[in-house]
Amino acid sequence: MKTEILGTDGASLDRAAELLTRGAVVAVPTETVYGLAANAFDEKAVRRIFEAKGRPADNPLIVHIADISYLEKLSPCVPELAYKCAEAFWAGPLTMILPKKDIIPSVTSGGLDTVGIRMPVDKTARAIIKRCGFALAAPSANVSGSPSPTTFRHVYEDMNGRISAIVDGGDCSVGVESTVISFDDNKIRVLRPGFISPEELSEIADTVIDKGVLEQLGADAVVRSPGMKYKHYAPKADVTIIDSDRDSFKHYVRKNSDDATMLMVFSEADCEGLDIEFIEYGETAEEQAKRLFTSLRTLDELGAEKVYARCPKKSGVGLAVYNRLLRAAGFKVVRL
Ligand code: TXA
Ligand code: MG
């Protein structure tokens, strides 16, 4: 399949909407990561997303809307708490899991009777949804299992030849996927941490962090979000997180590194005096969120076999960074 490369001018957005209306799959930028979009109500179109991505059929897609009034079109009962969250954090990187109406085909929801709904703030994403006039189902635009795409180049590498078009909207500003929440008994449950932090959510209502965010779920565990059970964000290199201060990090890597080892550090100061290749992924949690997935892809490009990563802080947006890095590392953490 020839993949058209589109820009963000009016004619390009018209073309993207035209393709989507015909049931095609188009990669579109959002503030978090690029999404692989298709008409959420069109079963055939949605199947094409699963094919292009190589995604397991039981892993549901997020449905993207551009207008809050759509909530009631998609869900038969929207709790008061969902409206409060929407008011506080939409448009933005927050996905709410709600009971679904039949208008959403079961392929879109991975066979579940719930649906994840998000209203992105990104201008291009919104303009495309508005032009379409229907909601867009969109998972991250990577091949299943690899790091989510935060630049046009990432999407091109994974999807060229597999989908109808890619809209080049430059680099994503947030860099990690949306916060996914569900509601039980007037509580917010964080199923996947993102830019909207548990601390911010707890200003709206009691907030619990699901066990699957920080722990590897056993075979018999309750999986509230199917995405949690799949291997994710995994570069080819064998990644280990070193949870320690700078000096202990340096001491550990000096003792345990070889020729094919690379370091993933906050800044150069973390590896001063060490003769080991490194990449910097930023000092603040926001920078780290923005650079994490690019860094994981770069490690592969550089042929790293073993990687030691400094551990992000586990609060605020840092929790999202830690959650993704944990999966990239297959949950290997050395605590010093
Ligand atoms: O920022 C984002 O959320 C991006 C952009 C494109 O919007 N999308 C994204 O989609 O990250 P995806 O498919 O890569 O991740 C969606 C996650 C998966 O872990 C999935 O299992 C979970 O959300 N999810 C979706 N619908 C769900 C549902 N009904 N119940 C529980 N979990 C759900
Ligand atoms: Mg994904």
Side-chain angles (χ1 to χ4, degrees):
M1 181 185 302
K2 167 128 180 55
T3 302
E4 290 177 37
I5 308 300
L6 301 171
T8 56
D9 55 289
S12 292
L13 300 183
D14 286 345
R15 176 67 183 152
E18 185 190 341
L19 289 167
L20 287 161
T21 304
R22 284 201 221 143
V25 175
V26 177
V28 301
T30 83
E31 68 276 21
T32 54
V33 302
Y34 275 76
L36 208 53
N39 182 347
F41 308 122
D42 179 343
E43 230 180 276
K44 262 200 196 150
V46 170
R47 279 190 212 287
R48 291 193 184 106
I49 297 180
F50 281 89
E51 268 164 39
K53 205 175 147 68
R55 181 168 175 118
D58 69 346
N59 197 359
L61 308 182
I62 294 173
V63 174
H64 297 69
I65 60 176
D67 187 321
I68 203 160
S69 67
Y70 246 87
L71 262 181
E72 275 151 32
K73 288 191 195 159
L74 303 179
S75 179
C77 44
V78 182
E80 197 44 44
L81 190 48
Y83 282 112
K84 281 193 189 158
C85 289
E87 200 174 302
F89 304 112
W90 275 5
L94 180 73
T95 297
M96 303 196 282
I97 309 292
L98 296 171
K100 85 166 186 73
K101 280 191 177 168
D102 289 343
I103 184 179
I104 299 168
S106 154
V107 229
T108 305
S109 66
L112 299 176
D113 52 12
T114 54
V115 59
I117 308 173
R118 158 160 135 78
M119 183 155 97
V121 69
D122 181 86
K123 263 188 26 218
T124 306
R126 293 171 67 79
I128 294 173
I129 302 169
K130 283 197 174 142
R131 275 168 164 80
C132 287
F134 46 78
L136 291 178
S140 49
N142 52 292
V143 167
S144 232
S146 78
S148 295
T150 55
T151 68
F152 167 76
R153 188 169 68 86
H154 297 162
V155 184
Y156 186 83
E157 281 165 5
D158 279 21
M159 290 297 152
N160 185 37
R162 290 176 181 243
I163 58 174
S164 296
I166 304 172
V167 178
D168 181 357
D171 297 356
C172 300
S173 59
V174 171
V176 287
E177 309 89 335
S178 61
T179 307
V180 178
I181 59 170
S182 64
F183 303 103
D184 17 271
D185 301 332
N186 262 335
K187 276 203 190 105
I188 298 172
R189 177 180 289 274
V190 178
L191 301 178
R192 179 178 73 182
F195 194 74
I196 309 292
S197 65
E199 293 86 342
E200 287 174 282
L201 289 164
S202 64
E203 287 177 24
I204 309 291
D206 281 351
T207 299
V208 293
I209 298 176
D210 195 84
K211 221 175 148 201
V213 167
L214 293 174
E215 287 174 38
Q216 190 162 23
L217 295 172
D220 52 354
V222 181
V223 179
R224 288 196 170 81
S225 182
M228 286 197 221
K229 65 183 182 199
Y230 292 108
K231 194 177 152 95
H232 254 114
Y233 317 117
K236 292 177 196 88
D238 182 30
V239 180
T240 306
I241 300 173
I242 311 297
D243 190 355
S244 71
D245 61 22
R246 179 185 286 164
D247 285 341
S248 309
F249 175 82
K250 281 172 119 171
H251 184 75
Y252 183 89
V253 300
R254 189 176 280 126
K255 271 177 63 184
N256 291 282
S257 295
D258 56 39
D259 287 349
T261 302
M262 281 195 66
L263 307 178
M264 219 174 118
V265 296
F266 304 149
S267 71
E268 204 174 343
D270 294 332
C271 44
E272 225 173 80
L274 297 174
D275 188 19
I276 306 172
E277 261 197 284
F278 65 91
I279 50 174
E280 296 167 78
Y281 77 111
E283 302 207 59
T284 66
E286 285 75 14
E287 274 171 6
Q288 292 167 1
K290 201 167 169 172
R291 280 153 73 174
L292 180 71
F293 291 140
T294 301
S295 302
L296 293 175
R297 282 179 185 250
T298 306
L299 290 171
D300 274 349
E301 283 161 21
L302 295 174
E305 284 172 21
K306 195 160 80 172
V307 175
Y308 294 121
R310 282 215 67 188
C311 187
K313 68 177 175 124
K314 298 161 198 157
S315 56
V317 194
L319 184 68
V321 179
Y322 183 61
N323 167 271
R324 307 307 189 271
L325 196 54
L326 257 184
R327 279 157 179 79
F331 290 87
K332 284 193 300 299
V333 183
V334 173
R335 292 187 176 85
L336 301 171

Short mmCIF file of all heavy atoms in Angstrom, two decimals, residues 33 53 55 59 139-142 145-146 148-149 177 192 232-233, ligand 2:
data_model
loop_
_atom_site.label_atom_id
_atom_site.label_comp_id
_atom_site.label_asym_id
_atom_site.label_seq_id
_atom_site.Cartn_x
_atom_site.Cartn_y
_atom_site.Cartn_z
N VAL A 33 0.94 11.08 21.96
CA VAL A 33 1.72 10.31 20.98
C VAL A 33 0.89 10.29 19.70
O VAL A 33 -0.29 10.65 19.72
CB VAL A 33 1.98 8.86 21.47
CG1 VAL A 33 2.71 8.86 22.81
CG2 VAL A 33 0.68 8.05 21.59
N LYS A 53 -1.24 -2.74 13.05
CA LYS A 53 -0.46 -2.65 14.27
C LYS A 53 0.01 -4.02 14.77
O LYS A 53 0.94 -4.11 15.57
CB LYS A 53 -1.39 -2.00 15.32
CG LYS A 53 -0.70 -1.28 16.43
CD LYS A 53 -1.71 -0.58 17.31
CE LYS A 53 -1.21 -0.56 18.74
NZ LYS A 53 -0.05 0.27 18.99
N ARG A 55 -2.01 -5.89 16.56
CA ARG A 55 -2.47 -5.81 17.95
C ARG A 55 -3.39 -6.97 18.28
O ARG A 55 -4.25 -7.32 17.49
CB ARG A 55 -3.23 -4.50 18.14
CG ARG A 55 -3.77 -4.25 19.56
CD ARG A 55 -4.22 -2.83 19.60
NE ARG A 55 -4.85 -2.40 20.80
CZ ARG A 55 -4.36 -1.42 21.57
NH1 ARG A 55 -3.22 -0.87 21.29
NH2 ARG A 55 -5.03 -1.01 22.61
N ASN A 59 -7.37 -6.33 23.02
CA ASN A 59 -6.88 -5.08 23.62
C ASN A 59 -7.65 -3.90 23.03
O ASN A 59 -7.47 -3.55 21.86
CB ASN A 59 -5.37 -4.95 23.37
CG ASN A 59 -4.72 -3.92 24.29
OD1 ASN A 59 -5.40 -3.28 25.11
ND2 ASN A 59 -3.43 -3.74 24.16
N PRO A 139 -5.38 3.69 18.65
CA PRO A 139 -4.31 3.30 19.57
C PRO A 139 -3.04 4.08 19.18
O PRO A 139 -3.05 4.78 18.17
CB PRO A 139 -4.12 1.81 19.26
CG PRO A 139 -4.43 1.71 17.79
CD PRO A 139 -5.49 2.77 17.50
N SER A 140 -1.99 3.94 19.96
CA SER A 140 -0.73 4.56 19.57
C SER A 140 -0.28 3.96 18.23
O SER A 140 -0.51 2.78 17.96
CB SER A 140 0.32 4.32 20.66
OG SER A 140 0.35 2.95 21.03
N ALA A 141 0.38 4.80 17.40
CA ALA A 141 0.67 4.41 16.00
C ALA A 141 1.97 3.63 15.83
O ALA A 141 2.65 3.75 14.82
CB ALA A 141 0.67 5.66 15.13
N ASN A 142 2.31 2.81 16.82
CA ASN A 142 3.49 1.96 16.72
C ASN A 142 3.07 0.53 16.38
O ASN A 142 1.91 0.17 16.57
CB ASN A 142 4.24 1.95 18.06
CG ASN A 142 3.31 1.61 19.21
OD1 ASN A 142 2.42 2.39 19.54
ND2 ASN A 142 3.50 0.44 19.80
N GLY A 145 3.96 -3.58 20.71
CA GLY A 145 5.13 -4.02 21.46
C GLY A 145 6.29 -3.04 21.42
O GLY A 145 7.11 -3.01 22.31
N SER A 146 6.37 -2.21 20.36
CA SER A 146 7.51 -1.28 20.29
C SER A 146 7.14 0.06 20.93
O SER A 146 5.97 0.32 21.20
CB SER A 146 7.98 -1.14 18.84
OG SER A 146 7.13 -0.28 18.13
N SER A 148 5.97 3.77 21.77
CA SER A 148 4.99 4.62 21.12
C SER A 148 5.68 5.73 20.32
O SER A 148 6.74 6.21 20.71
CB SER A 148 4.08 5.27 22.16
OG SER A 148 3.32 4.29 22.80
N PRO A 149 5.09 6.14 19.19
CA PRO A 149 5.72 7.14 18.33
C PRO A 149 5.40 8.57 18.76
O PRO A 149 4.25 8.94 18.92
CB PRO A 149 5.09 6.87 16.96
CG PRO A 149 3.78 6.23 17.26
CD PRO A 149 3.84 5.61 18.61
N GLU A 177 1.61 8.50 26.70
CA GLU A 177 0.19 8.38 26.41
C GLU A 177 -0.66 8.91 27.56
O GLU A 177 -0.19 9.07 28.68
CB GLU A 177 -0.19 6.93 26.12
CG GLU A 177 0.66 6.22 25.10
CD GLU A 177 1.85 5.55 25.75
OE1 GLU A 177 2.30 5.98 26.83
OE2 GLU A 177 2.35 4.58 25.16
N ARG A 192 -3.65 3.53 33.96
CA ARG A 192 -2.37 3.83 33.30
C ARG A 192 -2.03 5.27 33.63
O ARG A 192 -2.79 6.17 33.30
CB ARG A 192 -2.49 3.64 31.79
CG ARG A 192 -1.18 3.96 31.05
CD ARG A 192 -1.27 3.74 29.55
NE ARG A 192 -2.07 4.76 28.88
CZ ARG A 192 -2.34 4.78 27.58
NH1 ARG A 192 -1.88 3.81 26.80
NH2 ARG A 192 -3.06 5.74 27.05
N HIS A 232 5.58 -4.36 26.50
CA HIS A 232 5.42 -3.02 25.97
C HIS A 232 6.72 -2.27 25.83
O HIS A 232 7.63 -2.49 26.61
CB HIS A 232 4.59 -2.21 26.98
CG HIS A 232 3.21 -1.98 26.51
ND1 HIS A 232 2.13 -2.53 27.14
CD2 HIS A 232 2.72 -1.26 25.48
CE1 HIS A 232 1.03 -2.16 26.53
NE2 HIS A 232 1.35 -1.39 25.52
N TYR A 233 6.75 -1.34 24.91
CA TYR A 233 7.82 -0.34 24.85
C TYR A 233 9.19 -0.98 24.84
O TYR A 233 10.17 -0.36 25.26
CB TYR A 233 7.75 0.60 26.07
CG TYR A 233 6.36 1.05 26.41
CD1 TYR A 233 5.76 0.73 27.63
CD2 TYR A 233 5.63 1.79 25.49
CE1 TYR A 233 4.48 1.15 27.92
CE2 TYR A 233 4.34 2.21 25.79
CZ TYR A 233 3.77 1.88 27.00
OH TYR A 233 2.50 2.29 27.28
MG MG B 2 -0.03 1.76 22.81
#
